[in-house]
Amino acid sequence: MTIPNNIKHWLYTLKEWFCKLFDCGKIGGGTPPPTEEPEGGETKEDDVLSGNIILEDLVELFNYNIKIMSIGRKMVFPMYFQILMHQEDYNEKKTLLPVWTPEIIRNFYQLLKEKQDKYLDCRPIAKKWVFSYSPCRLEKTVDIDTDDNDIITVKKGNIVSTAALYSEDIDPTNDIKVSIKVNNSDIIKTANLNLSALDGIDILDEGLFTYKFDDNYLSTDKPKVEKINQSPIDENPKGNPEPPIIEEDNKPLATISFEDNHHEYKYTMKMSPIYISSVKDTRTTSNILKINNPNLKNGHVQIKYEKGKFFLCAFGETRLNEKPVELSTPGNIIWRPLANNSDILMNGEIQVKFKKI
């Protein structure tokens, strides 16, 4: 039995209405399928999926979720997005997705900036944005009391997008979390990408991207600064072999920012080297940044400035931009380059942000 086109049109409209009513997913574009096929196999303009279609759809979805997730003066927003695409659209656009995603996130930040004055607390729930793009081969089968079933798929030129507060697991090998896993994908190994042009996006797998949340999107009028006593140093403890070298004019070189007990702190590096230490460190010079955590070592991390570049070494468990740092010893100090906007994680619990000035 063949279902007439007008019945298909009515079913699609009814399905879309129910989805909106029960919030079961936002349908990109929201237009019913055409009643006629294009002649000669030509592609109609409405069937072309552009970056702006995805951008507008996700920004609208993001804005809607802020409204329903936020409470009182606490802004809450989703950071995990699943985007289902027509199979042909996905095949055509998959190499553009890591280029488009940072622009989507920039629009998210702009929306957050516009809304932040209404809220006292705008901190994110998750550490990273997660975007999972998948080809949708089959969405749903509708039984209309006949021997035939009408198979509804994502219409070419549109997307189906859903949002969640965060993703508990972004392991690309976990088929439960990724809508459709692309088997034997080696896009990361073979792609000739200029990663710096992708604004720090991490490509975990084909169609699966993460992007670290930028804490600086919020404006802070008076950031809290860690006060450090500037009395002279009495000794040079073992494991910290280099004396402080005051830079010309004592000009700021970089900042180290971190959060402690829901308060933000910022330390300005004005000499080289500096030491990030435990609160138990008894030294009192201004090149010692003490963090209120007894589990850190004295001089847990050292940062130095030399010939216009920054370097880092670690004497305790440390990860630099999520990669483990080889530990130094007093007789074998291992310096490694320290890039701007780097994240330094100590003992798996204390994270600081390094930014050069």
Side-chain angles (χ1 to χ4, degrees):
M1 175 181 176
T2 302
I3 303 172
N5 283 332
N6 62 335
I7 298 297
K8 288 185 180 180
H9 185 282
W10 180 83
L11 284 172
Y12 188 95
T13 303
L14 184 63
K15 171 182 174 291
E16 184 184 14
W17 182 82
F18 270 100
C19 282
K20 290 181 178 179
L21 179 63
F22 296 103
D23 193 30
C24 61
K26 180 178 179 300
I27 298 179
T31 56
T35 57
E36 297 182 0
E37 296 292 332
E39 296 181 1
E42 297 179 357
T43 301
K44 298 180 65 175
E45 185 176 349
D46 290 344
D47 291 342
V48 177
L49 180 64
S50 67
N52 283 331
I53 290 176
I54 297 178
L55 174 64
E56 292 170 5
D57 185 287
L58 292 181
V59 169
E60 181 182 348
L61 177 65
F62 185 67
N63 188 35
Y64 170 74
N65 276 273
I66 292 176
K67 293 178 182 178
I68 65 173
M69 288 183 174
S70 298
I71 180 169
R73 301 302 299 275
K74 168 65 179 176
M75 180 195 286
V76 184
F77 49 89
M79 296 189 68
Y80 176 43
F81 300 86
Q82 287 188 307
I83 302 95
L84 302 181
M85 306 166 63
H86 188 279
Q87 180 72 62
E88 292 182 17
D89 285 336
Y90 181 83
N91 292 339
E92 293 172 359
K93 310 297 184 184
K94 62 184 178 182
T95 56
L96 285 168
L97 297 177
V99 182
W100 288 347
T101 302
E103 180 60 27
I104 293 170
I105 296 173
R106 273 193 288 270
N107 277 262
F108 286 178
Y109 284 137
Q110 183 60 41
L111 197 57
L112 293 175
K113 288 179 181 179
E114 293 173 2
K115 295 177 176 293
Q116 68 176 357
D117 290 342
K118 296 171 54 179
Y119 300 93
L120 291 176
D121 187 356
C122 304
R123 291 172 297 170
I125 298 300
K127 296 179 181 178
K128 294 183 177 183
W129 304 97
V130 180
F131 288 78
S132 176
Y133 298 88
S134 304
C136 183
R137 297 178 178 88
L138 175 64
E139 182 192 3
K140 186 178 179 182
T141 299
V142 180
D143 187 357
I144 58 171
D145 296 327
T146 70
D147 294 334
D148 297 332
N149 289 327
D150 186 22
I151 298 177
I152 300 176
T153 59
V154 177
K155 181 175 177 259
K156 195 174 187 309
N158 290 282
I159 64 172
V160 171
S161 57
T162 60
L165 193 58
Y166 63 93
S167 171
E168 295 181 0
D169 185 0
I170 55 174
D171 182 355
T173 62
N174 186 338
D175 290 335
I176 296 176
K177 295 301 179 182
V178 181
S179 297
I180 297 177
K181 172 72 169 64
V182 181
N183 295 324
N184 302 320
S185 171
D186 60 351
I187 186 173
I188 306 175
K189 297 178 182 178
T190 60
N192 178 23
L193 296 177
N194 176 13
L195 295 178
S196 63
L198 301 182
D199 295 335
I201 196 170
D202 291 325
I203 304 175
L204 301 188
D205 199 5
E206 183 176 283
L208 180 60
F209 314 123
T210 65
Y211 194 100
K212 191 169 183 61
F213 186 84
D214 184 4
D215 294 318
N216 295 315
Y217 90 91
L218 291 175
S219 61
T220 52
D221 297 330
K222 295 181 180 180
K224 297 190 177 183
V225 179
E226 178 87 0
K227 294 182 179 180
I228 297 188
N229 196 327
Q230 297 193 10
S231 58
I233 191 167
D234 296 324
E235 58 181 351
N236 188 20
K238 186 177 181 181
N240 298 318
E242 298 188 43
I245 302 171
I246 299 177
E247 295 298 320
E248 183 178 357
D249 299 328
N250 204 29
K251 61 181 180 181
L253 300 172
T255 60
I256 311 292
S257 56
F258 61 97
E259 185 176 294
D260 181 27
N261 195 25
H262 304 300
H263 293 286
E264 294 182 359
Y265 295 86
K266 184 179 291 185
Y267 168 80
T268 302
M269 177 180 178
K270 294 184 178 180
M271 59 180 66
S272 172
I274 64 168
Y275 308 99
I276 303 179
S277 283
S278 161
V279 69
K280 297 184 295 184
D281 194 328
T282 58
R283 294 173 294 169
T284 57
T285 54
S286 59
N287 66 324
I288 311 295
L289 169 58
K290 298 180 185 181
I291 295 181
N292 187 24
N293 187 295
N295 297 324
L296 295 182
K297 292 185 176 182
N298 290 347
H300 194 105
V301 164
Q302 298 181 23
I303 298 174
K304 74 174 182 178
Y305 178 75
E306 188 175 88
K307 297 180 179 179
K309 297 181 179 180
F310 292 90
F311 300 88
L312 172 145
C313 71
F315 287 86
E317 180 189 344
T318 302
R319 298 180 74 89
L320 178 59
N321 296 324
E322 302 186 358
K323 296 181 179 179
V325 176
E326 185 177 356
L327 296 185
S328 298
T329 62
N332 181 31
I333 299 180
I334 304 171
W335 293 102
R336 59 184 299 167
L338 179 60
N340 187 31
N341 289 322
S342 287
D343 291 309
I344 305 168
L345 180 65
M346 295 167 285
N347 285 352
E349 55 179 333
I350 303 298
Q351 180 165 306
V352 301
K353 183 84 170 182
F354 170 84
K355 285 191 175 184
K356 67 179 182 180
I357 298 177

